[in-house]
Amino acid sequence: MSNGGNPAALLPLLIFMAVMIGIGFYVRQVQARGFGRNFVQQYFIGNHDLGGFVLAMTTVATYSSVSSFVGGPGMAWQIGFGWIYMAVVQVTAIFLVLGIFGKRVALLSRKFDAVTVVDIIRERFQSDGLASLAAFIIVLFFCATMTAQFVGGAKLFAAVTGYSYEMGLLLFGLAVVVYTTVGGFRAVALTDTCCAVIMMVGIVLLLYHVLDAGGGYTAIMDNLHNNHPEMFEPYSGGHMPAGLYLTQWILVGICTIALPQSVVRGISYKDTASLHRAMLIGTVVVGFMNIGINFTGILAHGVLTGDLASYGGVDNIIPRTIVTVMPPALVGLAIIGPLAASISTISGLLIVASSAIIKDVYLHNQHKRGKEPGTKQLRLLSMLATAVIGVVVFVIALTPPSLIWIINMFAFGGLETAFFWMLLLGLFWRRANKLGAILSMGGGTLVYCLTQGLGFKVMGLHQITIGITASLLFFLLGTYLGKPQDERVLAEFFPYRKN
């Protein structure tokens, strides 16, 4: 890789980031008049009017992170088809999150005028303490996840373009903070849509040039069959044990349906037809991305034929592939895909973290005191909260912790432990009550963090298996020991069901 900067790689990135910022200011201008009527709804959920295509793309883009385009295909390069068999469970994620929570959350949000997932949690369990704990967990784990995205994107930028890590961070890091702060959820949804399209274009470009550099599909497959036959085995000669399948299906598959940044999409669509369209489009798109980029990682083994150590580790495989197979003039386009995955995840998390502070904590406390902040004050505070969170994460990323990828997965598991059972049982089980929800969220998350900190595992499985199990047991314990929820609340959530 070049030590000097590649201007041809920089120009497409500059144009892309300028377009993203332009969308943010355009949305801000269009919505300016609407802010006077209901700023909070417009800024944090786009006023419940997302169509099917945009809903699908913003859900996919937020779900896909930079590790989906760097670490994942790098592992596929090393493991082979076993990695795709493991990762293919993610194809169902969009269908499940919108299918299970989409319509339910949409109906409840309109009934209670809810803007956030925490709003619905507060209404369901009638607990300000639980709502505050949920908001705290969202902000804490989101900040860790955003830091990982900043670091991953900046490292990728430096590896591919030859410019510095700090320059990459400055270029796309500030861009995402600016357009999210200015345009709110609507800008996030539209830029996510652009990012998702760019991701698909990037995958197609990279796949084409990998096949070309490797002498075609048949030549690459023959090479792998002859030299690495274990790459075609489900267990990859012992590199993909059954326990890893189980852990990953839980961590990046089943439990992702309850991630707050995904569930909040259910609040934002305009009608049932849009939801159904988004479920179909989103499943097709995430399937194409997931299988396409990991399959490209396998094919890259026909181009990068050295051992893993010679390339500096799994995370360097895709950057190395890009600069090896792509013409210099197209390197800038190829890198936009992974960076788009990074910034779309950051923007999605940023706006939800901001809403947790302003809507779930500040505004709720103001209403309890009988105060109604003005639109101008809310606009200023909301934009300030978004900007401050973004800048804080940006500053942390300037001196990244060495264990950043572990922190990323830790945060992912923490969110799933905290929200999976509480949302699933809370919204679909009439018996679920406040004590069960508090014990599940607080106790489950604590157990997960402790086992992570101590490095304790059961049968070598990731600690998410312990956290999610403890969370369920705590929920059941609290539900059967605690008082049933008020009938008035249950009638609102389950109007056609009895005990």
Side-chain angles (χ1 to χ4, degrees), residues 303-377:
V303 179
L304 304 182
T305 55
D307 59 31
L308 184 62
S310 66
Y311 301 119
V314 165
D315 288 345
N316 289 328
I317 293 298
I318 288 301
R320 194 65 177 252
T321 303
I322 291 174
V323 297
T324 301
V325 305
M326 300 287 289
L330 293 181
V331 164
L333 287 176
I335 194 183
I336 287 178
L339 285 182
S342 174
I343 65 173
S344 59
T345 301
I346 294 169
S347 62
L349 299 182
L350 194 53
I351 196 68
V352 176
S354 172
S355 70
I357 293 174
I358 297 301
K359 177 65 175 69
D360 300 328
V361 178
Y362 171 75
L363 197 54
H364 179 73
N365 286 327
Q366 290 296 304
H367 286 164
K368 283 181 69 176
R369 296 174 184 176
K371 297 179 180 179
E372 183 60 50
T375 299
K376 187 175 179 181
Q377 182 184 1

Side-chain angles (χ1 to χ4, degrees), residues 434-463:
K434 180 170 74 174
L435 182 59
I438 291 174
L439 289 180
S440 175
M441 174 172 275
T445 306
L446 184 61
V447 168
Y448 172 75
C449 291
L450 285 174
T451 53
Q452 276 275 351
L454 298 173
F456 177 77
K457 294 183 178 181
V458 175
M459 295 188 295
L461 301 177
H462 188 278
Q463 289 86 352

Side-chain angles (χ1 to χ4, degrees), residues 30 33 78 120 172 191 197 201 213-215 220 248 273 292 301 320 324 338 356 358 404 422 466 485:
V30 169
R33 284 177 294 179
Q78 182 184 22
I120 295 175
F172 79 87
T191 52
V197 172
V201 172
I220 293 175
Q248 292 300 309
H301 213 127
R320 194 65 177 252
T324 301
I358 297 301
I404 194 65
M422 191 187 56
I466 302 174
Q485 287 298 118

Side-chain angles (χ1 to χ4, degrees), residues 121 124-127 130 421-422 425-427 429-441 474-486 489-490 494:
I121 292 172
R124 172 64 178 91
F125 296 109
Q126 298 292 298
S127 171
L130 178 64
W421 293 115
M422 191 187 56
L425 297 180
L427 297 185
W429 188 31
R430 200 174 188 276
R431 184 70 175 82
N433 65 4
K434 180 170 74 174
L435 182 59
I438 291 174
L439 289 180
S440 175
M441 174 172 275
F474 280 129
F475 201 112
L476 296 175
L477 181 67
T479 296
Y480 286 106
L481 291 181
K483 294 190 300 183
Q485 287 298 118
D486 187 281
V489 175
L490 295 177
F494 305 97

Side-chain angles (χ1 to χ4, degrees), residues 76-82 219-237 239 297-308 311:
W77 178 92
Q78 182 184 22
I79 299 291
F81 283 90
I220 293 175
M221 286 296 115
D222 287 345
N223 179 301
L224 295 181
H225 266 295
N226 293 332
N227 299 301
H228 305 284
E230 75 282 359
M231 291 181 68
F232 294 87
E233 300 171 3
Y235 295 111
S236 186
H239 296 296
I298 294 174
L299 294 175
H301 213 127
V303 179
L304 304 182
T305 55
D307 59 31
L308 184 62
Y311 301 119

Side-chain angles (χ1 to χ4, degrees), residues 24-159:
F25 279 96
Y26 170 75
V27 170
R28 172 70 183 86
Q29 188 178 23
V30 169
Q31 291 189 336
R33 284 177 294 179
F35 280 170
R37 292 194 294 272
N38 195 332
F39 168 78
V40 171
Q41 285 213 358
Q42 290 212 33
Y43 189 76
F44 290 122
I45 58 169
N47 211 25
H48 299 292
D49 65 354
L50 292 192
F53 181 74
V54 174
L55 175 63
M57 290 305 193
T58 186
T59 309
V60 169
T62 301
Y63 177 76
S64 303
S65 67
V66 68
S67 62
S68 304
F69 282 78
V70 179
M75 289 297 293
W77 178 92
Q78 182 184 22
I79 299 291
F81 283 90
W83 190 258
I84 291 186
Y85 303 151
M86 180 279 295
V88 77
V89 68
Q90 298 176 60
V91 174
T92 63
I94 305 301
F95 192 88
L96 291 177
V97 69
L98 293 178
I100 292 176
F101 288 112
K103 194 168 184 176
R104 183 88 169 118
V105 168
L107 291 172
L108 293 172
S109 66
R110 283 161 173 80
K111 178 179 286 188
F112 299 114
D113 198 24
V115 175
T116 68
V117 174
V118 176
D119 278 341
I120 295 175
I121 292 172
R122 180 183 281 114
E123 292 291 340
R124 172 64 178 91
F125 296 109
Q126 298 292 298
S127 171
D128 286 344
L130 178 64
S132 298
L133 177 62
F136 173 75
I137 288 175
I138 284 175
V139 174
L140 181 67
F141 286 122
F142 274 19
C143 285
T145 306
M146 284 188 283
T147 303
Q149 298 301 310
F150 271 127
V151 173
K155 285 186 174 178
L156 178 67
F157 171 89

